[in-house]
Amino acid sequence: MGRLRIVLMLVSGALLVGAATSGARQDWGYVSVRERARLFWWLFYSEREAGGNSSAPLVLWLQGGPGASGCGFGNFEEIGPLDVDLNPRNYSWNVPFYIFSESYGGKMAAAIGLELLQAVLHKKVKCHFAGVALGDSWISPLDSVLFWGPFLHSMSLLDDLGLDEVSAAAAEVQAALEAGHYQQATELWAQTEDVIERCTAGVNFYNILKERSPEQSPRERSQHLVSLFQRHVRPLQHRSLAELMNGPIRKKLKIIPDFVEWGGQANEVFRNMEGDFMKPVIDTVDQLLAAGVNVTVYNGQLDLIVDSLGQEAWVRKLKWQGLPVFSRQQWTPLYTRSHPTSTAAFYKHYHNFGFFWVLKAGHMIPADQPEMALQLLRVVTGQ
């Protein structure tokens, strides 16, 4: 892109990004942030910045999971300058400061955004904090779960009996959450996914029109957290990516300790976030909007795990004073340069809030629709 710089930073599955181009200047480091906690960061500079222009936006990308690696999956499978075969990516995300996120990373993005805002207001941090973008984000898990059944039924992936089963399982998740039993809600969430797998003959939770990878085949459920990790994080750490990260990338960086294996800690991250996993953070988004921070929601049409219907549902719960006007507006179709007559997404915006519905994309929008994802980035950052 040449207008953004990317910092890749791994923080329990998080990724700090600002856009890069192949062959751009790079820096990286591996530092202690507190006792028994270390942080890897990787910065790619943009072409514009290499020419002496430091005004290029910086984007912080937060991966999901929790436990999915931004430096591995997000970098080489979605938005980095090179793909997993180390070939240049055509639609790389290469400052005002923006936080972009995906999946569970959306919860982190909202929380980090609010903390950063407070730090800026109290003059503890000097930063032009420009906005937060929440992609297929786990902002209100219950709303996603409650629409799993209706969404699959409308797509002919559930019959009436299957819809009843999924809806009954989702109702149990709702009851646990309303009682404040968050860990139990996570367990019931997993059981609801089991029902969906059985009733749909194994639908792909990340893109309902794609076949599942071998890692997503049915498996024993005796240890539900291990199963959840296997279903939602392990497929992001496939063999070729693991070989790349633990081989050529480790050799290139030269600073990763021998005892650290890429992807090896992901299950521990997922396990330790179990109690937080199903908690909603709609109020955090409301606080950002009330403070005037630009907030963008974007979602893939074919995503099941964070379905667009559920995203729309939690947006309707916002206390943001601009919501009534936003809701009355009609959306605008968006097109890509390569297909100027084919609608790639719809977009609605009012004041400091926007929503993108990205067509023909699942949970990982930059992987499924890279050109539209890059255009979305440009719209949000004004580039």
Side-chain angles (χ1 to χ4, degrees):
M1 184 174 176
R3 288 190 170 188
L4 296 171
R5 58 179 179 175
I6 295 186
V7 183
L8 307 176
M9 185 176 290
L10 184 63
V11 193
S12 297
L15 170 71
L16 185 60
V17 181
T21 55
S22 179
R25 176 187 165 196
Q26 304 174 31
D27 288 314
W28 56 84
Y30 191 72
V31 298
S32 296
V33 292
R34 62 180 181 275
E35 185 178 359
R36 300 180 63 192
R38 307 200 73 183
L39 188 75
F40 171 73
W41 60 268
W42 192 351
L43 170 66
F44 296 85
Y45 293 86
S46 71
E47 292 176 349
R48 188 169 76 177
E49 198 166 41
N53 186 337
S54 61
S55 64
L58 177 68
V59 174
L60 165 65
W61 171 270
L62 299 172
Q63 201 77 33
S69 167
C71 287
F73 187 83
N75 185 12
F76 292 101
E77 297 283 359
E78 295 192 86
I79 65 174
L82 303 176
D83 63 21
V84 71
D85 296 316
L86 301 183
N87 295 317
R89 176 170 281 111
N90 291 332
Y91 301 107
S92 171
W93 290 20
N94 297 355
V95 281
F97 178 63
Y98 297 85
I99 302 176
F100 274 70
S101 59
E102 182 176 273
S103 195
Y104 187 85
K107 296 184 71 171
M108 295 187 287
I112 292 171
L114 192 58
E115 286 294 319
L116 177 58
L117 176 65
Q118 295 301 317
V120 171
L121 293 176
H122 290 90
K123 301 187 185 304
K124 295 180 180 179
V125 173
K126 186 177 180 181
C127 173
H128 178 197
F129 181 33
V132 172
L134 310 172
D136 296 78
S137 292
W138 206 229
I139 301 299
S140 181
L142 178 60
D143 283 309
S144 293
V145 171
L146 290 178
F147 280 99
W148 281 352
F151 176 48
L152 290 169
H153 186 257
S154 71
M155 297 298 291
S156 300
L157 288 167
L158 279 179
D159 62 8
D160 290 344
L161 294 178
L163 174 60
D164 289 342
E165 282 196 62
V166 173
S167 297
E172 293 187 34
V173 177
Q174 182 175 16
L177 279 172
E178 291 176 347
H181 301 151
Y182 296 108
Q183 183 165 333
Q184 182 188 22
T186 301
E187 297 172 1
L188 291 169
W189 172 81
Q191 292 176 22
T192 305
E193 288 195 325
D194 291 344
V195 174
I196 287 177
E197 282 198 339
R198 175 169 51 79
C199 291
T200 62
V203 69
N204 187 324
F205 280 88
Y206 294 115
N207 187 315
I208 61 171
L209 296 186
K210 287 186 176 181
E211 294 291 328
R212 293 184 306 171
S213 66
E215 294 90 343
Q216 293 175 287
S217 58
R219 59 193 63 82
E220 292 297 325
R221 299 298 184 195
S222 58
Q223 296 180 337
H224 75 276
L225 280 181
V226 173
S227 299
L228 287 173
F229 166 76
Q230 293 288 347
R231 178 187 283 151
H232 294 296
V233 180
R234 178 64 72 188
L236 308 184
Q237 302 177 175
H238 52 77
R239 181 176 177 180
S240 60
L241 182 57
E243 291 174 349
L244 173 66
M245 297 302 295
N246 289 313
I249 298 303
R250 177 189 291 273
K251 292 179 181 178
K252 169 187 172 66
L253 301 173
K254 299 179 181 178
I255 59 172
I256 307 301
D258 292 339
F259 66 88
V260 175
E261 178 185 1
W262 180 83
Q265 295 76 39
N267 189 31
E268 296 176 29
V269 174
F270 204 120
R271 185 178 297 275
N272 278 279
M273 301 305 291
E274 181 187 17
D276 175 77
F277 188 70
M278 294 298 291
K279 291 181 180 179
V281 291
I282 303 173
D283 60 331
T284 305
V285 178
D286 251 327
Q287 292 179 66
L288 290 170
L289 287 168
V293 175
N294 293 315
V295 175
T296 301
V297 174
Y298 60 100
N299 222 73
Q301 175 192 28
L302 304 176
D303 187 9
L304 171 60
I305 192 71
V306 186
D307 51 86
S308 293
L309 292 173
Q311 295 288 76
E312 294 170 359
W314 72 254
V315 167
R316 288 192 290 268
K317 297 176 183 178
L318 289 170
K319 298 179 176 62
W320 173 53
Q321 62 181 7
L323 184 61
V325 178
F326 171 85
S327 300
R328 289 195 299 269
Q329 290 187 332
Q330 289 188 326
W331 61 16
T332 300
L334 295 175
Y335 308 89
T336 59
R337 294 176 181 176
S338 64
H339 296 86
T341 61
S342 178
T343 306
F346 291 97
Y347 173 56
K348 186 187 292 191
H349 180 266
Y350 176 70
H351 196 44
N352 59 326
F353 181 70
F355 199 123
F356 289 82
W357 292 260
V358 183
L359 305 184
K360 300 178 182 178
H363 194 64
M364 287 77 174
I365 291 175
D368 289 342
Q369 294 296 336
E371 187 177 8
M372 185 61 236
L374 182 57
Q375 183 170 329
L376 184 156
L377 176 70
R378 286 173 171 149
V379 172
V380 172
T381 61
Q383 299 297 304

